[in-house]
């Protein structure tokens, strides 16, 4: 199906769906996603990311092809489904984005400040990081989530992430768990996954990153957390920060056993 | 309120529930999490880092991890929160339900992306059904359709509705609902308007 026709067809399906209240939003988004089929614009980010991965960049004029994402230097396929994990070279638990920052610093010679600059795209601004994330996550499509939790630092990150998930604060007293710790809740018409429950966590986690039609951007999991905390009325979550990695560890491990299927497409 | 007793009594239960999974108590893990969060967030506009700090309610309810509190802890928390409710000086609890409906629809306010000069909304519809006209409503809270028609229009109900909007924790400890008055999300006049949306016989809520 040609991309434009696909998009129009999808929008039509979506418009019809507004009237069909007996159907759940999740089902509608699934239909919407299927209608787009192989016309997911995330492919554009994936292609740009692949170029960025292979391009010699930075002061050391090196590509990222020797970056070890956990399965060995340069192994891309399936790596994302095992992240976050403990890396001996940094003695830290890293998620995909923080691992990329490490590789951009060690292999390409960027400073950390340069590597974390522009983590998210916006109007008139493309993010290299989101391109790389699209390419590398796509390489785990169809792979079963298998995030390790054996190393003491992995255990620590999971426990920390769990506490952050339940941390109520700010003027609205919200925690992640306010919306995502109970079964079958809805905000307006949006179904909310209970991320403490295996099947919900599997369904939700394996669908990020996603191309957000409403924003015209591919959004990484780091962005998802950043934007959740904004709506939670918290201060701004720092990109690739320890709290963001710990929370990702908690959510990723809860999704173990699910089949990774992203970048996806969402409203 | 005896803050220490509250925390200790709940903390013991929390530690027992956690078993031997870790040498750290649940309180110690929470303290560590706060420390890590303080280093992982940055101020942006009106959202300062002190928003990560917790009062007793937030700390106790975080530790409970969405599970019910022990009854004695719950009762103490409820009492302490009830003492924090402020009723309007003029004694009038009902404002304009039409303005209340606009406040119930609006989800803006207090996010770092919001302009603090604009009035905040209450976003009631995000979680509650209120009127039949609005079909896009959430289910985190109960349906409030026919709120006063079912419960009555008495002054006691008006007072309850005010207290609930002002400080939800005073009636349901660890409720997911924000404390709109206590936390300064809505002004006194805005709360009057929202209470009118619930309590005014001419409000579409009661049609």
């Amino acid at each position: 199906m040609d991309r434009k026709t696909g998009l129009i067809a999808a929008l039509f399906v979506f418009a019809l769906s507004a009237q069909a209240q007996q159907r759940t939003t999740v089902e509608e988004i699934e239909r919407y996603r299927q209608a787009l089929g192989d016309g997911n614009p995330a492919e554009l980010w994936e292609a740009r990311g692949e170029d960025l991965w292979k391009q010699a960049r930075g002061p050391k004029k090196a590509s990222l092809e020797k970056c070890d994402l956990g399965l060995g230097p340069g192994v891309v396929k399936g790596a994302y489904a095992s992240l976050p994990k403990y890396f001996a070279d940094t003695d830290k638990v890293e998620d995909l984005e923080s691992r990329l920052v490490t590789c951009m610093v060690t292999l390409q010679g960027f400073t950390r400040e340069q590597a974390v600059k522009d983590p998210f795209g916006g109007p008139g601004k493309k993010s290299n990081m989101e391109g790389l994330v699209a390419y590398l996550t796509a390489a785990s499509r169809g792979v079963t989530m298998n995030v390790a939790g054996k190393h003491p630092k992995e255990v620590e990150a999971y426990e920390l992430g769990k506490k952050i998930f339940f941390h109520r604060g700010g003027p609205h007293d919200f925690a992640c768990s306010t919306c995502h710790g109970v079964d079958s809740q809805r905000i307006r018409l949006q179904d909310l996954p209970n991320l403490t429950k295996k099947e919900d966590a599997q369904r939700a986690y394996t669908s990020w990153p996603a191309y957000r039609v409403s924003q015209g951007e591919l959004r990484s999991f780091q962005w998802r957390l950043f934007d959740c905390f904004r709506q939670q009325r918290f201060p701004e979550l720092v990109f690739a920060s320890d709290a963001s990695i710990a929370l990702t560890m908690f959510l990723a491990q809860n999704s173990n056993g699910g089949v990774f299927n992203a970048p996806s497409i969402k409203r | 309120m005896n803050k220490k007793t509250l925390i200790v009594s709940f903390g013991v239960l929390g530690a027992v529930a956690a078993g031997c999974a870790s040498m750290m108590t649940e309180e110690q893990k929470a303290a560590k999490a706060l420390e890590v969060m303080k280093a992982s967030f940055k101020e942006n506009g009106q959202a300062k880092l002190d928003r990560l700090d917790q009062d007793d309610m937030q700390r106790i309810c975080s530790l409970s991890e969405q599970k019910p509190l022990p009854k004695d802890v719950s009762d103490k928390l409820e009492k302490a929160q009830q003492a924090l409710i402020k009723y309007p000086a003029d004694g009038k609890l009902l404002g304009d339900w039409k303005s209340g409906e606009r406040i119930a629809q609006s989800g803006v306010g207090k996010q770092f992306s919001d302009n603090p000069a604009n009035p905040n909304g209450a976003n009631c519809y995000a979680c509650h059904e209120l009127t039949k006209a609005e079909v896009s409503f959430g289910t985190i809270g109960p349906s409030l359709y026919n709120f006063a028609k079912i419960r009555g229009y008495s002054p006691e109900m008006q007072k309850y509705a005010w207290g609930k909007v002002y400080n939800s924790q005073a009636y349901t400890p660890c409720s997911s609902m924000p404390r709109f008055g206590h936390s300064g999300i809505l002004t006194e006049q805005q709360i009057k308007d929202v209470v009118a949306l619930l309590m005014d016989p001419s409000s579409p809520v009661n049609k």
Side-chain angles (χ1 to χ4, degrees):
Chain A
M1 181 162 55
D2 136 79
R3 182 162 288 154
K4 207 168 184 183
T5 320
L7 192 60
I8 289 164
L11 290 173
F12 184 63
V13 168
F14 205 52
L16 279 178
S17 74
Q19 301 159 9
Q21 276 179 54
Q22 66 273 32
R23 291 199 215 102
T24 71
T25 316
V26 167
E27 281 168 331
E28 284 311 315
I29 288 170
E30 185 57 23
R31 279 157 53 87
Y32 179 34
R33 198 189 62 75
Q34 280 173 0
L36 274 170
D38 58 1
N40 185 346
E43 284 169 13
L44 302 174
W45 274 257
E46 292 169 29
R48 193 160 57 85
E50 184 171 4
D51 286 346
L52 284 163
W53 179 257
K54 293 173 177 170
Q55 245 175 56
R57 296 171 66 232
K60 292 187 182 172
K61 297 202 175 11
S63 81
L64 287 167
E65 287 167 300
K66 289 204 175 78
C67 181
D68 183 356
L69 298 174
L71 301 181
V75 181
V76 163
K77 178 140 185 67
Y80 186 69
S82 298
L83 291 172
K85 76 186 292 284
Y86 172 77
F87 288 88
D89 58 355
T90 53
D91 192 29
K92 271 184 166 172
V93 171
E94 292 172 302
D95 66 344
L96 175 63
E97 285 94 324
S98 50
R99 188 62 188 166
L100 280 170
V101 169
T102 296
C103 288
M104 287 166 79
V105 171
T106 56
L107 297 176
Q108 297 183 314
F110 287 112
T111 64
R112 188 184 154 83
E113 290 64 38
Q114 288 168 332
V116 298
K117 201 171 153 278
D118 295 328
F120 313 129
K125 185 180 80 175
K126 281 201 172 89
S127 159
N128 286 347
M129 184 56 78
E130 280 183 333
L132 285 165
V133 164
Y135 166 59
L136 295 166
T137 53
S140 281
R141 200 186 289 281
V143 178
T144 302
M145 289 299 301
N146 181 29
V147 177
K150 287 207 181 101
H151 189 279
K153 292 215 171 170
E154 290 169 347
V155 175
E156 190 191 1
Y158 182 89
E159 290 291 318
L160 197 60
K162 188 178 180 190
K163 279 280 170 259
I164 294 167
F165 183 82
F166 287 107
H167 186 97
R168 295 188 72 164
H172 284 57
D173 302 325
F174 289 155
C176 305
S177 62
T178 308
C179 291
H180 295 294
V182 179
D183 286 349
S184 310
Q185 290 194 139
R186 216 173 69 192
I187 280 191
R188 292 278 183 165
L189 293 179
Q190 174 74 55
D191 287 330
L192 300 165
N194 177 358
L195 299 175
T196 65
K197 201 173 80 176
K198 198 157 209 47
E199 70 184 48
D200 281 20
Q202 286 175 343
R203 198 170 47 231
Y205 191 83
T206 58
S207 72
W208 284 93
Y211 177 78
R212 290 294 292 265
V213 177
S214 55
Q215 301 176 6
E217 286 287 346
L218 181 123
R219 293 308 190 187
S220 60
F221 199 70
Q222 280 276 339
W223 177 87
R224 177 62 279 184
L225 296 181
F226 164 91
D227 206 51
C228 265
F229 281 117
R230 179 183 64 85
Q231 295 174 76
Q232 217 171 297
R233 275 75 176 177
F234 276 33
E236 183 183 326
L237 180 67
V238 174
F239 177 73
S241 58
D242 288 349
S244 74
I245 296 166
L247 187 52
T248 302
M249 183 56 143
F250 174 66
L251 299 170
Q253 239 187 76
N254 289 351
S255 80
N256 270 348
V259 177
F260 188 72
N261 189 25
S264 68
I265 186 157
K266 292 174 190 277
R267 68 184 159 79
Chain B
M1 178 186 58
N2 189 335
K3 177 169 127 187
K4 235 176 199 157
T5 319
L6 254 180
I7 292 167
V8 170
S9 60
F10 189 73
V12 170
L13 281 162
V16 171
C20 309
S22 166
M23 296 302 285
M24 276 169 100
T25 66
E26 293 301 302
E27 282 81 3
Q28 284 168 331
K29 284 186 201 168
K32 171 78 182 161
L34 179 59
E35 188 189 311
V36 171
M37 289 172 87
K38 286 263 170 133
S40 297
F41 283 82
K42 62 180 178 191
E43 291 187 1
N44 186 338
Q46 59 179 311
K48 310 293 184 203
L49 279 180
D50 62 8
R51 289 191 178 185
L52 299 170
D53 293 324
Q54 295 177 307
D55 68 7
D56 282 343
M57 183 291 283
Q58 292 168 332
R59 193 162 41 240
I60 291 163
C61 294
S62 297
L63 282 169
S64 83
E65 299 188 351
Q66 302 288 132
K67 290 182 276 292
L69 294 177
K71 191 169 184 320
D72 59 327
V73 180
S74 174
D75 288 350
K76 273 181 196 158
L77 184 57
E78 195 174 293
K79 237 184 176 168
Q81 294 292 314
Q82 260 168 25
L84 299 171
I85 300 176
K86 288 196 190 86
Y87 295 90
D90 64 5
K92 275 192 64 183
L93 300 176
L94 263 57
D96 169 15
W97 70 258
K98 283 180 186 150
S99 162
E101 166 69 11
R102 284 192 292 275
I103 295 163
Q105 288 282 5
S106 165
V108 301
K110 299 282 187 187
Q111 296 174 139
F112 59 67
S113 51
D114 290 323
N115 179 353
N118 295 333
N120 297 331
N123 214 10
C124 310
Y125 283 105
C127 302
H128 298 282
E129 179 185 30
L130 285 141
T131 60
K132 284 296 162 192
E134 180 53 85
V135 297
S136 175
F137 58 84
T139 59
I140 294 175
S143 172
L144 302 176
Y145 180 61
N146 281 352
F147 182 83
K149 200 174 174 184
I150 292 165
R151 296 168 179 82
Y153 299 93
S154 65
E156 290 73 26
M157 272 313 299
Q158 284 187 14
K159 200 179 171 205
Y160 166 74
W162 175 277
K164 183 79 187 181
V165 174
Y166 192 95
N167 186 348
S168 57
Q169 303 295 333
Y171 301 89
T172 314
C174 298
S175 164
S176 294
M177 181 168 149
R179 293 171 287 183
F180 289 100
H182 172 72
S183 302
I185 301 164
L186 299 181
T187 64
E188 187 177 278
Q189 185 57 49
Q190 283 182 308
I191 299 176
K192 288 183 179 188
D193 295 344
V194 171
V195 171
L197 181 66
L198 295 170
M199 294 301 303
D200 192 318
S202 58
S203 160
V205 166
N206 296 314
K207 291 297 172 194

